[in-house]
Amino acid sequence: MPRKERITEIESLRGIAFAAVVLQHSIAHYSIVPETRLEDGVLLAILLMLSKFAVPLFIFITGMVLFYNTGDKLHYGTFMRKRVNDVIVPYLIWSLIYFTLAPRGWAGFGWNDIPDLGLKLITGKTTSHFWYIIMLIQFYLLFPLFLRAIRYVYNRYEAKGRLIALLISGLVYLVLADQLRNIAKFMEWLNIPVLTDAFTTYADRNFIYFFIYFVLGAAAGLSVQHWNEWIHRLRWVYWLVFIVLGLRFTYLLMLEFQKPEGIKITFYTVSLIRPDMALFLIASIMVMYQLAGKLRNLRAVRLLGWIGGVSYGGYLMHMLMLRYSYIPDELFYVAMGWNPVVRMIITWLLALALSCVLTWLISRVSWGKWIVGAVPKSVHNK
């Protein structure tokens, strides 16, 4: 891929997206601790909605960077070799680490268990957050098809035609998200090996249910100037959607908390794959992009850029870092009577710091890229 001028917003957005991922998983833990009351649940719900954009934003960034950097010809072998080295190998290593640390781990593991382990590696089931890596790999594998189709539209039509094509893609996605359960029932009836599972058991990691964020990123990457113009022109629209739907989902979560047996903090209502959530997430991506573009504080920009540079390795290990971050919570915070939301924020910042620093340290050794992926040279100098 030919080198082009860096899109400064992307560096900050990666850092924002990773911080939001760690925040979401911290919220999930503290939503179920015994000390969490309704008022704490409301605060957690607000923070969750403010960070819900994390994975869609990562997908958007991937699409934008790939289409921005890819020249007239894609050397698919070189492209995939880099993804194997930088993404898949570290993923496999960390999958085995999480498998080793699981309650059963390798205890009693035999030849008969190899197919089950293989299935877990292929589907990202060794730990809860690896579903995203499996979905990301699908975009890499199918990138030539996306590239050909989107470039065809880009080269054949002017700005108006491209916008119509993007809107049609959005409508198709909204229909797919709305029909998620009916599609699953139909695929169960067809009972096609592998394909049925992709739309039922593993629908949450099927790229088809996330393609709109990749396509939106592709549109932005192919015409950064036009994208920036639309970010400015539509600011009142996407901010309104972001605020109104954000408040609506927060209200729906409060209703969800009210169970027949009493108050219980759960977040099933805000599944990523639903039409109204897609609209909220697209608006969220545009909001974050605008905020990243307006960020002028040099220290904040450098910090977010540094976090973004180590975000892949950090993503792989952050669930493990969260486990260690819960230790001082159990030993000290509870005994000190601290509010669960305060404990959550401290744990989030600690896990985020541990993930970033450990990734940075590992990346500095010669074999580090096999563990945490490629870390930009600029990150090592910060």
Side-chain angles (χ1 to χ4, degrees):
M1 293 183 184
R3 293 263 180 195
K4 290 187 178 181
E5 183 181 349
R6 285 181 177 272
I7 305 172
T8 54
E9 290 87 352
I10 291 297
E11 297 181 11
S12 297
L13 284 172
R14 277 202 185 97
I16 292 170
F18 177 53
V21 165
V22 183
L23 177 59
Q24 284 187 44
H25 291 143
S26 302
I27 290 170
H29 174 80
Y30 283 93
S31 67
I32 59 174
V33 298
E35 300 83 11
T36 301
R37 298 164 296 179
L38 177 60
E39 54 269 36
D40 301 315
V42 172
L43 286 174
L44 293 176
I46 293 170
L47 290 172
L48 178 64
M49 293 315 303
L50 289 174
S51 61
K52 199 67 179 175
F53 62 83
V55 166
L57 180 56
F58 267 133
I59 301 169
F60 168 85
I61 292 170
T62 300
M64 187 172 187
V65 170
L66 287 180
F67 277 83
Y68 180 73
N69 286 330
T70 302
D72 294 332
K73 287 187 177 181
L74 172 68
H75 301 283
Y76 188 59
T78 303
F79 172 83
M80 281 308 300
R81 192 180 310 118
K82 180 173 174 57
R83 270 68 210 173
V84 168
N85 293 340
D86 296 346
V87 176
I88 297 177
V89 170
Y91 158 72
L92 292 173
I93 290 173
W94 278 97
S95 292
L96 293 176
I97 290 173
Y98 282 105
F99 181 78
T100 301
L101 296 174
R104 181 187 169 190
W106 297 99
F109 188 87
W111 291 105
N112 294 334
D113 298 307
I114 291 178
D116 181 58
L117 176 58
L119 181 63
K120 287 182 177 179
L121 293 175
I122 293 171
T123 59
K125 284 286 190 177
T126 54
T127 186
S128 60
H129 66 297
F130 278 177
W131 68 271
Y132 165 71
I133 308 296
I134 297 304
M135 187 261 299
L136 181 66
I137 291 171
Q138 294 171 61
F139 283 115
Y140 289 145
L141 291 171
L142 297 172
F143 181 53
L145 298 179
F146 277 102
L147 185 64
R148 186 169 184 177
I150 293 173
R151 278 233 174 116
Y152 174 81
V153 173
Y154 185 81
N155 294 329
R156 184 179 176 87
Y157 300 101
E158 297 298 325
K160 185 177 180 180
R162 296 168 190 167
L163 179 60
I164 291 172
L166 184 60
L167 291 174
I168 291 173
S169 298
L171 288 174
V172 169
Y173 178 80
L174 292 178
V175 172
L176 285 172
D178 184 60
Q179 296 299 312
L180 175 68
R181 292 185 179 180
N182 291 331
I183 293 171
K185 289 178 181 178
F186 178 69
M187 294 306 296
E188 283 181 347
W189 177 75
L190 288 179
N191 195 25
I192 303 172
V194 180
L195 193 59
T196 292
D197 288 337
F199 287 89
T200 54
T201 308
Y202 305 110
D204 62 340
R205 61 209 66 199
N206 186 332
F207 81 97
I208 288 176
Y209 292 118
F210 296 92
F211 83 86
I212 191 58
Y213 310 112
F214 188 79
V215 171
L216 188 65
L222 284 172
S223 186
V224 176
Q225 183 179 349
H226 283 117
W227 169 256
N228 289 333
E229 289 173 1
W230 280 107
I231 287 293
H232 177 72
R233 192 179 302 175
L234 296 176
R235 60 192 184 280
W236 299 111
V237 176
Y238 58 74
W239 268 103
L240 181 63
V241 173
F242 175 73
I243 293 170
V244 170
L245 288 183
L247 290 173
R248 177 176 178 270
F249 279 119
T250 303
Y251 173 72
L252 291 176
L253 282 174
M254 292 181 202
L255 293 179
E256 183 185 323
F257 295 165
Q258 302 174 46
K259 304 291 193 302
E261 63 274 19
I263 298 298
K264 185 177 181 182
I265 311 301
T266 56
F267 301 116
Y268 301 119
T269 298
V270 291
S271 164
L272 287 175
I273 309 174
R274 49 182 290 172
D276 48 357
M277 178 58 72
L279 294 174
F280 172 74
L281 293 173
I282 290 170
S284 300
I285 288 171
M286 300 180 82
V287 165
M288 293 303 143
Y289 194 96
Q290 187 208 30
L291 292 177
K294 287 184 173 295
L295 196 58
R296 294 291 180 265
N297 186 289
L298 185 59
R299 288 185 178 180
V301 170
R302 292 184 65 183
L303 176 60
L304 288 173
W306 182 78
I307 294 173
V310 297
S311 60
Y312 184 64
Y315 184 87
L316 292 171
M317 70 175 69
H318 81 273
M319 291 297 280
L320 182 59
M321 296 303 103
L322 274 170
R323 292 188 198 179
Y324 292 118
S325 300
Y326 297 144
I327 294 174
D329 176 69
E330 296 165 357
L331 292 177
F332 306 111
Y333 310 160
V334 176
M336 295 169 72
W338 287 1
N339 180 274
V341 177
V342 174
R343 289 157 51 193
M344 184 277 296
I345 292 173
I346 294 172
T347 300
W348 163 53
L349 293 174
L350 179 58
L352 179 63
L354 287 173
S355 301
C356 291
V357 171
L358 187 55
T359 297
W360 180 77
L361 290 173
I362 293 173
S363 72
R364 295 181 66 86
V365 300
S366 58
W367 44 264
K369 71 172 187 176
W370 304 110
I371 309 297
V372 296
V375 171
K377 291 181 180 179
S378 58
V379 171
H380 292 154
N381 300 325
K382 293 181 180 179

